[in-house]
Structures are given as C-alpha cells and as structure tokens.
Amino acid sequence: MTANTFQLYSSRHGLPSDLVLDIVKSSKGILFETGYSGIGVIDNGAVYSFKGLMGNNTFLAIREFKGRMYGITTQELCELNYESGRMNVVKRIPTPESGVGLATIKDQLVVACKNGLYLFDNDDLILLTKDRINQITCIYSKDDFIWLGNYQHQVNGYQFKKEGLQWKAEWVYGYTGKGYDNIHCIATDDNNTIYIGTRLAGLFRVNKIRKSPSTRQLKVDDGLSDNNIRSFLFLPDHSLLVGTGSGVDRISETGKDSLKIDNINNFFGFSSTVYKMIADTGKALLLGAETGLIRLTGLPVEDTFSNKLPVFISSVELVNKQDSLIDITAPVHLQYDNSTISINYASPVFSNERSLQFSYWLKGSGQQTWSAPTTNSSVTFPNLSSGHYTFMVRALGPGGNPSSQIATLELYIDPPFWRTWWFLSLVFALLSLSTILLVRRRINAIRKEAQFKQAIAESEMMALRAQMNPHFIFNCISSIDNFIQDNDKENASAWLNKFAKLIRGILDNSHNEVIPLWKDWSTTKLYLELEQLRSDNAFQFTMEASASLLNGHYRIPPMIIQPYVENAIHHGIKHRGDKSGLIIIKASMEDQQLVFDIDDNGVGRERSAALKDKNPIAHTSYGMQMSSERIALFNGDHKTELQIIDKKDKEGKPEGTRVLIKLWV
C-alpha cells in the first residue's frame, strides 16, 4: 500500500506567493502554477519564481498549446517561453474584455472573457460567440463541449465544431438555478450529469438528459466540508473530488441515487481553500490552494480499510477534579476514593464523522460483552471499586461492521493502603534502610578528598549536603510506631505519608550539588509540617515566595536553610512554653541574589543560651556552621552575606531572631 504523504510548496519554498489558482503539467513533465504576482515552476525538483512578468497583474490560468505555455490575466493573453530555469513573455495579446480563463479543446485554445468566448488563432483572438453569455465566471471543456458559468447561477453548454474552415461554438444546453450565486467550477461525467460548484450554496448535481432535469443539492449538512465549492476532479474509479473552502471531499455512488461523502482533508490533516486539482504521476494529486501547492499521495479508500478503522484513546479525566488529565502512556492507577473517570476516544477516519460509531467493553466490571453501538466519543464510569480493569474500544464502519483494530487501557483501582499492614511494615523497613544508607553515604562523602581545588570544593559540597537531626528521625519513626500500635490509622497515615515524602526528597537531593529552588522549598515545607505535628502544633508558619520565583530556573544547594529553621524551632519557639509560636520564611530576588528571610518570635539567642541544660544537643549549631561553609562555597568569589539579627522590643527585651541569607544565583 502506498504511504500517505502530504507535501506543501509555498512562498517559503520559492513560489511567487502562497495562493495557487491554476496548475498544469507540460508535455515535458514540468509543473507550472499561477497566482498572485507571477508564475511558479517546479522543474525536476527545483522551484523557480517568476514575478512581475505582467506587472502586478494576477495570472488567472495557464495552459500548454502547441508546445508553448500561455497565461491569461484580466487584460492580456501572454505567450510564455520557459527554458532551463528562465522565463520571459514572448507575445502579449490584449483581451477584448476582462479575461476569465482558458481551455484547450480539439487542439485549439479557447479564451473565456467576461461577455464573450474567443478562439486564439494566428496571434489573434477571434470571437466564437456571445450567445447567452453574461458575466462569465468559469470555463470547462470536455469532448466536443465547452461549459460556461456566470454570476447568476447559470450554466450554458456549447458544442465546439468546425464548419468548413471556421470553428464555431453553438449553444445546445442551459441550466438556471434558483437565486443568484457565483458559479466557480463545472464538471460533467459519462452519464450526462453536470456538477456545478457555487460560492455559497454548495454543489448542484444536474442530470441534463431527462425531460425535466433532476437536481440534487449537496451542502455541509450532507457531509461536505464547506459550501464554497472551487474545483472538481474525476478519479479513475469514477468518484468525484471536490475542492472546497475547507479542503477536499470525495463523492462516491453507493447505489441508485445514493452517495457517500468522504472528507479527505481530515485524513491528511489540512484545511485550506482548494482552487485547482490535477492528477500527478504515481496516483498522486496536485492541489492549488490558498496556502500553496499541495501534493497528496496514498489517497485512502475507506471501503478497503473499513475493517481496519483506527481508534485511539485520547484522554482519561477524573470527573470529580477539574483539569485532571491522567497520563495514559502507562497503566492507570487510581485511589479508591477518586475513581469516577471519563474516557475519551476517537477514530481519525476521513468519512463523514456523523456516521461513525463506537463500541466499548470494560472487562472486570461485570460487563459481559461489547456495548451497543454509539456515536458518543466518550464514556463515564462512576465510582469504580478496587480491582483491575481492562477498557477496550473499537470503531464501527459502514453498516455497523466492527473494526479489527482495538484500543486498550489497563486500569488499577488501589485499595486503602492503611488496610494493608504488610505495606506499612515494608515502608517502615524501607525507611529504616534508607536512613542507614543516607548516613553511610554521608560518611563516605565526608571522607572523600580531591587533588585539585575544584575537586576539593566539590568534595566539600558532597560532605556538607543535606543534614537531618537523627533525633528528629528517631522521634518521627517512634511516633509512627506508636500510632500503629494504638491503631490510630489517620495519624499513622498522615505521619507516614509526610515522613516518606521528606526522606525520599532527602535521598533524591543527596545525589545533586544543587537542586531547583521549588524542590528545596517543598522539602523545607514538609520538614516544618512534621515538626509542627511532632510539637503538637506549638507553632504556626508561613512561607512566602512569588510563583515566578518558584517556577524560575534557580538552583541552590539542598537543605541550605533547614538548620536555621530547625534552630528557630528548638532554640527559639520551643522555650516559649505556649502554642503561639510563629515562623515566617520569605524568598525574593534582589539584583542577582536570592534572599532568604527566616523570622521567628521565639525567646531569642540570649535567653536560649541561658536555658540550655547540662547536656545540650550540638546538632543544630553544627548544622548552622556547615550551612555557613556551604553558603561560602556556593557563593565562590562573592562575599558571603549571612546576618543573624536579635530582635528586641521597645524596652530592649528579646522578641525573636531574624536570619538573612543571600545566595548568588
């Protein structure tokens, strides 16, 4: 089967303009196109542009006649000479009136003007007829007949014949439609049927051999892409291609007075006004469009592939949450309490979509077979219970025949995790192992040394990475264990979830010298939430940073401000003895420096030092010392700016501590 391809030539590829009104392929295989500003030529793959041949006049049509190329504007018929990438105007023959188009018939060149039909003979335009000709808009020729359309929804047919030494065009048929509308194009088939394309009213199919000609109108409501019809082309299988204001349609007869319309442009994925269509080599098509010259290959035949209609699952959404598209590149896992989903699917076929149907099957839900055919392109499943499901969907072709192609999606609805005690035990074991690995990694990092200055700096950064108070870890694990022993599921779940996220964040960040600001911001927030839970909400905290700052590309050493936050909690807030503690953390940009502002309303450094017992825990001061060294390493040659401010009230009494940290980013 020929591959389906869409190839576009436009002004970016060398054509005079994007608009292509007419196309012709010469006897030498050279392609000529007309449009605004001039003529474009594609010769053996090379694209040539010839602008200004007739000033700013637009070439309306071009034809080959007796080995020469002829183009027409509204004012002149031009004989053109093209050779090896060069073109010039050989002769210019003024038209008696406004030019419209060209046609070749019986080895003659016929010129359609606004109010007359002319024969080109010996470099002159000879009048053939003005009979019933008024405001001509298009010309079409086939066999012995010339067809003309006008502004008043009229079509007239003339028999072109030679009497003696003279050629004549004798009127033989006329059709007038209802209302007034421009005729853009005309075509006839072997069954004496005339196809008429209009500007606004769609397509008219007229059988001219009956005593009372039958007329059938086709519009958007019947399946056409657009009511603006610009061109026709018959295919070898006798189907008719229709160029519209929105692409290309194909009309095929499926029985007596029964037609099928396929939207070809949907298959190839384009939408553009198509002014001209011709057949090319290799069963390809050439389209003259408002966006350029289009070459289509592998024109689909839906009857052949009706049993292989493609279908795909486009998206899965949580119904109870807005903007909740789910990643469907892998099996979908959902929580038990958020399992109402909507599955959307589609089939990129090119037939009229109103006739497309689907059938689906959700295995594992109790549904025993495929659903009844439906035109809906989505289905909603409410409150799926825990378990494994397989969703399948297929498209149905004409007559309801199911396609052999099926799209599938695996769904897993997870049970409440607090009901699986083995899972809690496993997580506890993994967290303990992760803690041991983290400590070992930290010890190994401290022992590493490098031979060069840069290596030394990197080694120090590795040795001074994110620290976490082992007492804090032990207390968190003990609290989780107490909740489990007391069967306090809610608190166990909350603690375990937050603690797992914090440890995972520390493990992830320990591999990197610097991490995104937003990630360290989230880790610090988790740490504060755990300290808040562990202290029975002895303090409140706020974290202020603009969305643009958090979404920026700023990277900092991991856990760089955590020791100062920990110091505020354990040496400031802790000694207040009440639950009105407050920590405010702000992040902002000043010049090229990222500024952290850590403000607490604790007892202050002086009172904290006086309250220390005989066995103080040195971790916090050690962590602050390391953070100070890390800040110096990170800032490099820049001055290290770290300020610790003792806040006092009007009476000189301590009312907290404020820390300012500035990082060059």
Side-chain angles (χ1 to χ4, degrees):
M1 182 175 63
T2 305
N4 304 310
T5 61
F6 174 95
Q7 188 175 8
L8 174 67
Y9 295 91
S10 65
S11 58
R12 292 183 301 170
H13 304 89
L15 294 183
S17 69
D18 289 340
L19 179 69
V20 177
L21 296 175
D22 196 15
I23 317 169
V24 67
K25 199 166 190 178
S26 72
S27 56
K28 296 180 181 180
I30 301 173
L31 191 64
F32 295 83
E33 65 84 18
T34 65
Y36 288 149
S37 305
I39 295 176
V41 177
I42 301 179
D43 185 359
N44 197 26
V47 180
Y48 301 99
S49 174
F50 301 100
K51 294 183 178 181
L53 292 172
M54 298 296 292
N56 293 323
N57 291 329
T58 298
F59 280 89
L60 303 174
I62 189 168
R63 292 290 182 274
E64 183 179 22
F65 178 60
K66 294 184 179 180
R68 289 280 190 176
M69 302 306 300
Y70 289 84
I72 189 172
T73 70
T74 56
Q75 300 175 355
E76 294 176 294
L77 175 68
C78 305
E79 180 182 337
L80 307 169
N81 178 52
Y82 170 80
E83 186 174 353
S84 301
R86 297 183 178 182
M87 177 179 284
N88 64 292
V89 178
V90 179
K91 295 177 182 178
R92 302 168 63 166
I93 302 98
T95 55
E97 48 195 307
S98 181
V100 174
L102 301 173
T104 54
I105 180 172
K106 292 188 173 182
D107 296 326
Q108 301 297 315
L109 181 63
V110 177
V111 179
C113 292
K114 189 173 182 179
N115 294 301
L117 190 63
Y118 296 85
L119 178 69
F120 177 65
D121 186 26
N122 293 327
D123 298 336
D124 196 8
L125 294 177
I126 300 172
L127 179 65
L128 285 172
T129 183
K130 284 182 173 285
D131 187 15
R132 295 174 173 82
I133 295 179
N134 181 29
Q135 303 290 316
I136 297 302
T137 56
C138 64
I139 180 172
Y140 168 76
S141 65
K142 182 180 179 182
D143 300 330
D144 296 343
F145 294 91
I146 298 173
W147 300 89
L148 302 176
N150 67 15
Y151 282 99
Q152 299 176 342
H153 204 155
Q154 293 178 340
V155 173
N156 289 291
Y158 300 83
Q159 186 176 13
F160 186 69
K161 58 184 179 179
K162 194 172 187 180
E163 293 184 359
L165 298 178
Q166 291 186 338
W167 289 98
K168 292 187 176 182
E170 181 179 341
W171 181 89
V172 292
Y173 180 81
Y175 166 80
T176 302
K178 296 180 180 179
Y180 292 88
D181 199 2
N182 292 1
I183 304 296
H184 281 159
C185 53
I186 305 169
T188 60
D189 62 16
D190 296 333
N191 298 320
N192 291 306
T193 300
I194 307 174
Y195 294 84
I196 303 170
T198 68
R199 181 173 63 93
L200 298 173
L203 182 152
F204 290 83
R205 189 170 180 262
V206 181
N207 191 315
K208 62 182 175 50
I209 64 173
R210 300 182 182 179
K211 293 182 179 179
S212 178
S214 63
T215 302
R216 180 174 179 179
Q217 184 180 11
L218 299 176
K219 302 174 67 177
V220 170
D221 292 341
D222 301 296
L224 290 178
S225 298
D226 200 301
N227 287 333
N228 181 14
I229 311 300
R230 304 298 309 214
S231 56
F232 292 126
L233 176 66
F234 279 103
L235 296 178
D237 63 357
H238 304 294
S239 61
L240 178 66
L241 288 184
V242 182
T244 75
S246 299
V248 179
D249 300 329
R250 178 172 58 193
I251 300 177
S252 307
E253 291 193 10
T254 57
K256 185 178 180 181
D257 297 327
S258 178
L259 300 175
K260 180 165 73 81
I261 300 176
D262 301 329
N263 306 132
I264 304 299
N265 46 294
N266 289 344
F267 185 84
F268 286 96
F270 76 96
S271 177
S272 178
T273 303
V274 177
Y275 296 97
K276 181 70 175 183
M277 297 182 290
I278 66 172
D280 196 13
T281 57
K283 298 183 179 180
L285 295 176
L286 294 174
L287 313 181
E290 63 180 343
T291 54
L293 179 63
I294 300 171
R295 190 175 193 270
L296 303 181
T297 59
L299 191 67
V301 182
E302 189 163 344
D303 290 340
T304 304
F305 304 113
S306 61
N307 64 331
K308 295 183 180 180
L309 289 175
V311 65
F312 65 92
I313 297 171
S314 56
S315 64
V316 177
E317 302 176 62
L318 290 173
V319 174
N320 297 328
K321 293 180 67 176
Q322 293 183 349
D323 301 325
S324 57
L325 290 177
I326 298 173
D327 181 13
I328 58 176
T329 58
V332 174
H333 288 264
L334 300 175
Q335 296 296 323
Y336 78 102
D337 57 350
N338 196 14
S339 59
T340 297
I341 61 173
S342 177
I343 303 177
N344 303 298
Y345 40 83
S347 177
V349 297
F350 49 90
S351 286
N352 185 3
E353 294 182 359
R354 284 182 283 272
S355 65
L356 187 62
Q357 293 183 314
F358 299 94
S359 180
Y360 60 85
W361 187 355
L362 184 64
K363 287 188 175 181
S365 66
Q367 182 180 347
Q368 299 300 319
T369 187
W370 291 94
S371 69
T374 176
T375 57
N376 293 331
S377 59
S378 66
V379 61
T380 299
F381 296 104
N383 299 321
L384 291 174
S385 57
S386 302
H388 173 215
Y389 302 88
T390 301
F391 176 76
M392 302 184 297
V393 63
R394 63 187 182 185
L396 279 66
N401 297 321
S403 170
S404 60
Q405 296 193 20
I406 299 174
T408 62
L409 178 67
E410 299 295 326
L411 297 168
Y412 294 89
I413 310 301
D414 298 330
F417 71 90
W418 58 81
R419 296 180 183 175
T420 56
W421 294 104
W422 62 268
F423 178 77
L424 287 175
S425 301
L426 177 61
V427 170
F428 185 79
L430 289 175
L431 288 175
S432 300
L433 178 61
S434 298
T435 303
I436 294 172
L437 292 175
L438 180 61
V439 173
R440 288 183 177 178
R441 182 187 297 271
R442 173 71 185 132
I443 294 172
N444 291 334
I446 293 175
R447 292 174 178 172
K448 290 184 179 180
E449 293 183 354
Q451 296 180 355
F452 301 101
K453 183 177 179 179
Q454 181 62 29
I456 292 174
E458 293 178 358
S459 176
E460 290 177 350
M461 291 293 284
M462 289 289 291
L464 297 174
R465 280 186 182 154
Q467 298 294 308
M468 183 59 64
N469 191 335
H471 296 280
F472 170 77
I473 295 175
F474 177 80
N475 290 337
C476 287
I477 295 175
S478 297
S479 297
I480 295 172
D481 185 59
N482 289 335
F483 286 135
I484 293 174
Q485 296 298 328
D486 295 339
N487 200 24
D488 189 345
K489 300 175 182 179
E490 183 175 355
N491 280 322
S493 173
W495 271 78
L496 186 60
N497 186 33
K498 291 180 181 295
F499 186 66
K501 288 183 178 179
L502 180 61
I503 295 299
R504 183 176 63 185
I506 295 172
L507 288 171
D508 289 343
N509 296 341
S510 67
H511 294 287
N512 303 299
E513 295 178 9
V514 291
I515 62 173
L517 170 62
W518 66 264
K519 183 177 288 187
D520 193 68
W521 195 256
S522 299
T523 303
T524 304
K525 183 179 179 183
L526 277 174
Y527 169 74
L528 279 165
E529 290 174 346
L530 283 170
E531 287 284 13
Q532 192 179 45
L533 285 172
R534 193 163 70 92
S535 65
D536 194 19
N537 292 313
F539 67 91
Q540 302 297 319
F541 72 89
T542 62
M543 299 181 70
E544 302 176 10
S546 66
S548 60
L549 182 63
L550 293 178
N551 294 331
H553 299 289
Y554 304 108
R555 303 176 72 85
I556 63 174
M559 300 292 284
I560 194 67
I561 67 171
Q562 185 271 336
Y564 300 99
V565 177
E566 182 179 346
N567 188 69
I569 295 171
H570 292 286
H571 298 284
I573 301 296
K574 177 181 177 181
H575 296 305
R576 285 182 61 93
D578 55 21
K579 293 189 177 183
S580 59
L582 177 63
I583 298 175
I584 301 174
I585 303 176
K586 299 179 181 179
S588 61
M589 287 297 299
E590 294 182 6
D591 297 328
Q592 296 180 347
Q593 291 179 298
L594 177 60
V595 180
F596 289 101
D597 186 342
I598 306 166
D599 194 330
D600 70 74
N601 66 346
V603 298
R605 290 191 296 172
E606 182 178 346
R607 179 165 173 74
S608 175
L611 292 174
K612 284 185 179 179
D613 56 22
K614 296 181 180 180
N615 298 306
I617 297 175
H619 169 80
T620 301
S621 59
Y622 177 59
M624 291 173 59
Q625 178 184 351
M626 287 192 300
S627 286
S628 177
E629 294 176 9
R630 294 172 68 204
I631 292 170
L633 285 171
F634 182 78
N635 284 339
D637 295 333
H638 295 286
K639 179 182 177 182
T640 298
E641 296 193 39
L642 172 63
Q643 292 179 270
I644 301 178
I645 304 169
D646 296 313
K647 301 191 302 179
K648 294 185 179 182
D649 60 15
K650 295 180 179 179
E651 298 177 357
K653 295 180 180 180
E655 60 177 8
T657 307
R658 184 181 179 190
V659 180
L660 293 176
I661 302 171
K662 296 185 179 181
L663 300 177
W664 288 86
V665 293

